[in-house]
Amino acid sequence: MLLPRLQRFLTQLISETSGLALEDTLVLAQQSPQLDDEPDLGACIGEFHDLLGRFRLQQVPIEALLEHPVSHAFEAFFRAFPIPFHDEHIHLTGSLDAEFVYPRLAALLAGPQRALYERKIREVYGHDALPIRNASDVDRLIRLGDEDRFERYLKILYLPKLILTSRQAHRDAAYHMATRLQRDANVGSIRLKFTLFRETTDPAEQIPGISELTPDDVVLGLTEGFRSVPNFRVILSPSFRKEPGFYDAARYPSKRASFDDQVRQIIDLLKRHPELRDVVTEVDTVGNERGFYRKVHFQEMRVGIRKLQAYGFRTRSHHGETWNTLRQGIQAVDNAMNIWHVDAVEHGLSLGINPNFYFHSLLQRILGANRRGEEVPADSREYAELLDMDWSDREEIRDKLLRGERVSAAEATLATKSKFHHAREVEHYQHDVLNRMIDKRLTLISLPSSNKKLTGTLADYADHPFSWWEKKGLRLGVSTDNDITLSTSFVREMLILLYTDPLELKITKLLIVTTGESRRGHLSHLLWQMRKNEATIKSVSS
């Protein structure tokens, strides 16, 4: 069979070169005398190398690489690596597969509250969501479509929430998730994001039966489930929705009062269960951050976060993921650092966008539409960015662009000048935030599939900034976000990163980031052990 031979060959080459960059590895592979005896391997590797070059030129999608036999061989290599990987950012509700969800959901739909559950499912997923007859029907609902974006993504996480209403359900979910990640992706450690307090007045987020679930049920159930899986480590990160309206207005007069009470409950929980102190060590803030970027937006949760930090909690936060304008996306990260004193930024995509390319590309689209007499849609990113720019008494040109009224060549030049100065200002701001992150040794978590699929900001995976961040010197982590919802895996995310910078991102560096093992000599030793193991397997099979 081709795949085992490819895996053996690549394992041998990677171990002998101590994990070079992908391009160098493929060049050396094609020069190998060994391929004289195995021409089919040489042809396969040559085909993949050609595809990689075309991907870099954006002539083929990354899926063409990921579906190739050489990619499957790299995937098998990573799954066999002796040190399990750390998934630094994974959510509970988006990482439960249909095989787990369906039988528990079916029991609810067969119960006395069937009509209620069916109504809630229709509200979120549409009338064609029912009937749900098997796991395939569930799988169709819980996976993000190719054209779906962030707002839809938050909604489709609703289905798994319906079944997470007891301690036993959380225990079973944790066990199922850990065993699946170990088996399928060589993941042995995770930072799990989960919502500890789900009460809300938002009808779209209300869960039947949730009032009987206590924070103790959630945390103890998850802890028991994960601890029952040998050699699996977890950090539980209770995650707070940061949107101003996400709280139970029937019980609390304000978002701050609600959050302060949640903080009190977490501290009380650890006092009652001190055995959880090595598991519940941090908190996170999640949700849709569009419109959440000003200093005032951070004040309602500031005091509560300070109190948690005083009790030893680290703070991580989803920021720079989505934005109305790029400047606001950077400002959100800036304020999370300055006001909440976060230890890690999750996503942080606004810190990886090249402002000069971003704004010039945006202006090209606007000027192209202006030539056709088209106005700028009021709900578009182009509209928001135009309003955010400093036009310095050139607002008449901006307004003509917005209305679709044809501008002259001289006016187009003045618009370009306004864009130029705005891009420079945003670039300075972005690098200032990045440099302070480096100084403070903050971690930036990279989630390629999530960043590409949810934001619509990256035209192609090749535009992902992971490698640029690594060269700049940022502390990095890698994650899947919601591997089931996004139809990915941790190893797939590693391959995406490897393919987006085949010239400079070394395989060993990727292993350092994803395993946390920084001793290069030890990694080289482990690679050589893998080579010996593959050689043993080959001799036995012969």
Side-chain angles (χ1 to χ4, degrees):
M1 291 179 62
L2 183 64
L3 182 57
R5 290 189 292 128
L6 273 172
Q7 182 183 353
R8 272 196 303 272
F9 176 76
L10 290 174
T11 299
Q12 177 180 338
L13 182 58
I14 292 169
S15 67
E16 292 175 349
T17 57
S18 198
L20 292 172
L22 179 61
E23 175 68 20
D24 291 337
T25 301
L26 293 174
V27 168
L28 291 173
Q30 290 177 279
Q31 295 174 1
S32 174
Q34 180 180 333
L35 296 186
D36 293 343
D37 300 325
E38 299 181 90
D40 57 337
L41 255 62
C44 188
I45 292 171
E47 180 184 65
F48 180 80
H49 196 186
D50 178 64
L51 273 176
L52 182 64
R54 293 167 62 196
F55 166 70
R56 291 175 57 206
L57 296 174
Q58 298 188 349
Q59 295 176 350
V60 297
I62 199 169
E63 286 74 20
L65 289 171
L66 294 169
E67 294 166 3
H68 195 274
V70 170
S71 196
H72 295 322
F74 275 113
E75 184 177 352
F77 165 80
F78 285 127
R79 285 204 309 268
F81 192 72
I83 304 178
F85 302 120
H86 300 299
D87 192 323
E88 296 283 349
H89 175 131
I90 186 167
H91 292 264
L92 177 65
T93 48
S95 302
L96 299 176
D97 60 24
E99 285 68 26
F100 178 83
V101 174
Y102 171 68
R104 293 159 178 82
L105 183 65
L108 296 177
L109 293 174
Q113 291 186 295
R114 174 176 180 170
L116 172 62
Y117 284 107
E118 289 184 340
R119 177 173 60 82
K120 298 294 292 185
I121 291 171
R122 286 194 185 96
E123 288 174 0
V124 176
Y125 297 95
H127 288 280
D128 60 346
L130 295 171
I132 295 176
R133 294 159 295 201
N134 49 48
S136 296
D137 289 336
V138 171
D139 192 72
R140 171 175 54 87
L141 297 178
I142 63 176
R143 291 187 184 269
L144 195 73
D146 291 338
E147 303 303 319
D148 293 334
R149 290 293 179 260
F150 190 78
E151 288 75 11
R152 181 58 185 164
Y153 156 79
L154 289 178
K155 291 181 179 179
I156 66 173
L157 296 175
Y158 182 78
L159 200 62
K161 296 177 184 178
L162 291 175
I163 65 171
L164 293 173
T165 55
S166 69
R167 178 168 173 172
Q168 184 63 46
H170 283 81
R171 183 187 296 118
D172 294 343
Y175 179 84
H176 177 83
M177 183 178 174
T179 52
R180 181 180 63 79
L181 292 174
Q182 272 188 335
R183 179 187 67 243
D184 297 343
N186 192 25
V187 170
S189 174
I190 63 173
R191 294 181 185 275
L192 183 74
K193 317 295 180 178
F194 66 101
T195 305
L196 189 56
F197 306 95
R198 301 180 199 163
E199 295 87 355
T200 176
T201 51
D202 183 353
E205 291 284 352
Q206 291 173 344
I207 310 295
I210 200 69
S211 59
E212 300 176 8
L213 183 71
T214 67
D216 297 58
D217 292 332
V218 175
V219 177
L220 291 173
L222 289 174
T223 303
E224 291 162 0
F226 284 119
R227 283 180 171 169
S228 65
V229 179
N231 303 315
F232 195 88
R233 297 176 58 249
V234 64
I235 296 295
L236 297 181
S237 298
S239 300
F240 305 103
R241 292 288 290 267
K242 54 180 174 274
E243 299 96 322
F246 199 91
Y247 72 98
D248 189 350
R251 295 176 56 196
Y252 301 101
S254 66
K255 170 78 171 183
R256 173 171 176 173
S258 170
F259 182 63
D260 288 347
D261 188 50
Q262 292 174 22
V263 169
R264 178 192 60 77
Q265 290 185 61
I266 287 180
I267 293 171
D268 288 346
L269 182 137
L270 289 185
K271 288 179 178 178
R272 293 193 306 274
H273 303 285
E275 71 276 11
L276 298 176
R277 288 187 178 273
D278 63 334
V279 178
V280 186
T281 62
E282 62 187 37
V283 295
D284 200 347
T285 64
V286 300
N288 191 344
E289 66 185 272
R290 292 186 191 277
F292 192 101
Y293 62 94
R294 298 182 186 276
K295 291 181 179 178
V296 66
H297 298 147
F298 291 78
Q299 295 303 323
E300 286 186 314
M301 298 173 68
R302 178 180 61 84
V303 174
I305 285 177
R306 288 282 196 280
K307 188 171 184 179
L308 287 168
Q309 290 168 339
Y311 276 85
F313 282 83
R314 291 186 173 274
T315 310
R316 306 167 78 89
S317 189
H318 287 49
H319 276 103
E321 180 181 12
T322 57
W323 56 81
N324 290 322
T325 69
L326 181 57
R327 181 185 60 80
Q328 291 171 4
I330 298 168
Q331 187 176 350
V333 178
D334 189 19
N335 284 326
M337 291 169 55
N338 293 335
I339 298 174
W340 286 352
H341 300 313
V342 296
D343 298 284
V345 174
E346 317 280 344
H347 293 280
L349 187 60
S350 62
L351 302 178
I353 300 298
N354 185 322
N356 291 297
F357 182 90
Y358 173 87
F359 284 109
H360 198 74
S361 176
L362 179 135
L363 182 63
Q364 286 177 328
R365 295 195 298 274
I366 293 170
L367 291 175
N370 184 260
R371 283 173 174 265
R372 298 187 296 272
E374 299 172 1
E375 66 179 23
V376 179
D379 60 348
S380 67
R381 178 168 292 170
E382 287 79 3
Y383 188 95
E385 294 288 8
L386 281 176
L387 292 182
D388 195 50
M389 291 180 189
D390 179 6
W391 287 85
S392 299
D393 299 325
R394 298 172 185 147
E395 284 78 13
E396 182 181 350
I397 298 174
R398 178 200 65 191
D399 294 342
K400 288 177 72 173
L401 291 171
L402 292 173
R403 293 193 301 267
E405 183 179 335
R406 185 78 177 259
V407 297
S408 66
E411 288 173 324
T413 299
L414 291 174
T416 303
K417 289 180 68 175
S418 295
K419 179 276 307 178
F420 175 84
H421 291 296
H422 183 72
R424 288 293 305 277
E425 289 295 323
V426 173
E427 182 182 39
H428 281 300
Y429 189 21
Q430 181 191 66
H431 280 261
D432 176 63
V433 173
L434 282 167
N435 289 333
R436 282 187 285 120
M437 285 186 67
I438 293 170
D439 290 341
K440 293 174 180 289
R441 296 185 60 77
L442 268 62
T443 302
L444 183 57
I445 305 301
S446 179
L447 307 97
S449 289
S450 178
N451 297 153
K452 170 70 168 62
K453 293 181 178 181
L454 299 185
T455 66
T457 302
L458 300 177
D460 192 81
Y461 280 104
D463 299 326
H464 195 276
F466 175 87
S467 193
W468 180 69
W469 285 334
E470 190 271 323
K471 293 181 183 71
K472 191 168 176 64
L474 281 144
R475 298 182 65 180
L476 296 172
V478 176
S479 184
T480 55
D481 205 4
N482 293 271
D483 66 330
I484 296 299
T485 304
L486 297 173
S487 301
T488 188
S489 72
F490 192 85
V491 172
R492 186 179 188 273
E493 300 299 289
M494 292 177 67
L495 293 175
I496 289 172
L497 294 176
L498 202 60
Y499 299 161
T500 55
D501 186 11
L503 297 180
E504 297 191 48
L505 179 59
K506 294 183 178 180
I507 295 172
T508 298
K509 179 60 181 181
L510 185 59
L511 289 172
I512 289 172
V513 173
T514 53
T515 64
E517 176 54 73
S518 60
R519 297 171 296 177
R520 291 177 181 268
H522 183 53
L523 288 173
S524 295
H525 170 72
L526 293 176
L527 290 172
W528 198 258
Q529 288 297 118
M530 291 178 69
R531 180 188 186 279
K532 291 172 64 177
N533 292 340
E534 288 292 343
T536 301
I537 293 171
K538 181 180 180 181
S539 64
V540 170
S541 61
S542 298

